[in-house]
Amino acid sequence: MVSGSGRVGSVVLAGGGTAGHVSPLLALADCLRRREPDVRIVALGTEEGLEARLVPARGYDLAVVPKVPMPRRPSAALLRLPTSLRRAVDAADDAIASADAKVVVGFGGYVSTPAYLAARRRGIPVVIHEQNARPGLANRLGSRFAAHVAVTFPGTPLRGATVTGMPLRREIALLDRPGRRAEALAHFGLDPQWPTVLVTGGSLGAQRINDAFRAAAATLRTEGVQVLHVTGAGKDFTVDDDDAGAPYVVVPYADRMELAYAAADIVVARSGANTVCELTAVGLPAAYVPLPVGNGEQRLNAQAVVDAGGGLLVEDADLTPGWVESTLVPLLRDASALAEMARVAASVGERDGDELLADLVVDAAGKG
C-alpha cells in the first residue's frame, strides 16, 4: 500500500446515477476532508441522478455533465455518440480546470468516462474505484491509463488493481452493533425478546423480496420472529397489528441504516456491492438474493462471503414464503450458527476502505 502522507489540494470526483456510485464518492470526500479540512472537492454528476440531491446536501460542489449512455448495439444513439461524448468531455474539462484539480477520481457510471478522457487530455492523474466484482465499461476504459486502480473485491479483473474494499460512511464503518442494539430496537419499536430479521431491497425496493415477506408476515409473527422491513419508497404496506406474536415493522425507507443493522440478527437483501460491503464490515449474516437480470455482478459480489460461510445465496425464484418458513425461521432459532456466520462475515469485511482509497488519491496527486 502506498503512503497516505501529503496533501491533495484539489480533487474532482466523478460518479453518479445510483447509490452504488454516489455512496462511495461521498465516503471518500468525507475522508479527504477529515484529513485535509481545506481541500477543494468538486463532484461531477448529472441533473437527474441521486447525486443532484445528495452531493449538495453533504456540502460539496456539484458540476453537471451531460449524461452519455454507451450504446451496446448499433442504433441512432450510437451515431450521436461522438458528438454527445465530446460535449460531455468538454463539460468535465471545464470543471477540472475551474477546480484546478490535481487528481481525478472516478467511480464508474455515465460521468466517469468523460472525466477520465478530460483528465487524460490535461495530463492529470486518474484514480478509479470499481465497486463490483465485474467491472463496468467506464472503469475498464479508465484502468488503461489510471495512476491507481482500486477494487472492492479480490479477483476483480482489472490489471494492477489494489484491493481497498468499499469506502463506507463512518456511521456504518464505526458501528458497534452490540453496543447500539437496545437503542436501535427502541428506535424502530422492536422488542428485545425476539430475534430480528432486517429485510431490504435497497432504496428502490425489490418486489420479489417484498412479496415473499408480506405473504409470510403472519407465519413469522406466530413463530416468534420479528421483522424490520424496508420496502422502498412508495411500496410499504400494512400488517395486521394485534397483540399476538412478534412485531412486524414496515417502513418505506430508513434514514438511520446503522440502527437498522444494530437491531438485526440477520439480513435478507439484494447483493449490490455497497450492501455486501456494509454487512460484512459490521459483521451481519445475510441471505443474499442477487438480481436475476444484468451481467451477474450481484452474484459475484456475494460469492466470497457466501463461500466463507458468512451468508447464504438464494436464487430470486426460490425466495418464497415457503423458503422463509423452512430455511429462515429455523436459522433464527440457532443462535450459535448465527454467531458463527456473523464472525465469518466480519472476517471478510473491510471497515477502512475510505482511508485506503484516500492513500491512493494522495499518492497520485503527489506524483501528478
Side-chain angles (χ1 to χ4, degrees):
M1 180 59 68
V2 299
S3 170
S5 62
R7 287 176 54 84
V8 174
S10 180
V11 60
V12 165
L13 308 180
T18 68
H21 294 135
V22 180
S23 294
L25 182 154
L26 291 174
L28 176 64
D30 290 347
C31 181
L32 292 173
R33 183 160 284 176
R34 286 197 308 272
R35 291 181 172 204
E36 191 179 328
D38 61 346
V39 66
R40 181 166 187 194
I41 297 173
V42 176
L44 301 184
T46 64
E47 290 181 326
E48 61 269 25
L50 283 175
E51 65 275 13
R53 175 173 57 88
L54 297 181
V55 167
R58 196 76 145 253
Y60 299 110
D61 294 332
L62 179 72
V64 173
V65 173
K67 183 176 178 179
V68 187
M70 296 296 175
R72 298 183 181 273
R73 56 182 62 87
S75 65
L78 185 60
L79 296 176
R80 295 191 297 269
L81 179 61
T83 300
S84 300
L85 184 58
R86 185 165 54 249
R87 189 182 306 118
V89 171
D90 288 344
D93 186 80
D94 288 344
I96 292 169
S98 177
D100 190 24
K102 301 301 184 287
V103 61
V104 170
V105 186
F107 295 84
Y110 293 131
V111 300
S112 288
T113 298
Y116 298 153
L117 295 175
R120 189 184 191 191
R121 188 164 73 186
R122 286 187 169 269
I124 293 172
V126 168
V127 176
I128 74 168
H129 183 273
E130 175 55 55
Q131 294 85 60
N132 292 296
R134 180 168 287 163
L137 185 61
N139 280 349
R140 293 204 303 270
L141 169 67
S143 69
R144 297 178 182 178
F145 51 85
H148 290 295
V149 176
V151 296
T152 299
F153 301 106
T156 301
L158 290 175
R159 187 173 57 187
T162 299
V163 180
T164 61
M166 180 77 77
L168 300 175
R169 291 172 293 150
R170 298 310 278 171
E171 58 264 35
I172 299 294
L174 300 179
L175 178 65
D176 173 10
R177 283 180 53 229
R180 303 287 297 278
R181 183 173 175 84
E183 174 195 356
L185 292 170
H187 178 81
F188 291 107
L190 297 168
D191 191 324
Q193 72 173 302
W194 307 113
T196 307
V197 180
L198 169 62
V199 179
T200 175
S203 58
L204 299 178
Q207 198 62 45
R208 167 73 69 173
I209 296 175
N210 286 347
D211 290 346
F213 276 83
R214 183 175 188 173
T219 297
L220 287 162
R221 298 192 67 205
T222 301
E223 294 291 338
V225 174
Q226 69 183 350
V227 179
L228 173 58
H229 190 153
V230 184
T231 62
K235 299 178 181 177
D236 49 318
F237 55 86
T238 301
V239 174
D240 288 340
D241 185 18
D242 55 47
D243 294 331
Y248 194 113
V249 176
V250 180
V251 294
Y253 55 87
D255 287 335
R256 303 288 304 278
M257 279 304 291
E258 74 277 13
L259 292 183
Y261 291 159
D265 295 295
I266 193 170
V267 181
V268 179
R270 291 296 191 202
S271 48
N274 212 59
T275 298
V276 174
C277 291
E278 288 188 350
L279 295 181
T280 54
V282 303
L284 257 174
Y288 294 106
V289 190
L291 271 171
V293 297
N295 63 5
E297 66 187 27
Q298 286 208 352
R299 176 182 294 274
L300 293 175
N301 291 344
Q303 202 66 60
V305 64
V306 170
D307 287 348
L312 309 174
L313 199 64
V314 185
E315 299 294 345
D316 188 77
D318 294 338
L319 188 75
T320 63
W323 177 87
V324 173
E325 184 174 355
S326 65
T327 302
L328 186 62
V329 170
L331 180 57
L332 264 295
R333 291 175 175 157
D334 191 340
S336 62
L338 281 178
E340 177 61 13
M341 289 177 71
R343 185 194 66 77
V344 172
S347 75
V348 300
E350 175 58 70
R351 290 182 176 237
D352 295 321
D354 57 344
E355 298 284 355
L356 297 174
L357 180 57
D359 286 347
L360 299 181
V361 175
V362 169
D363 183 77
K367 294 176 179 177

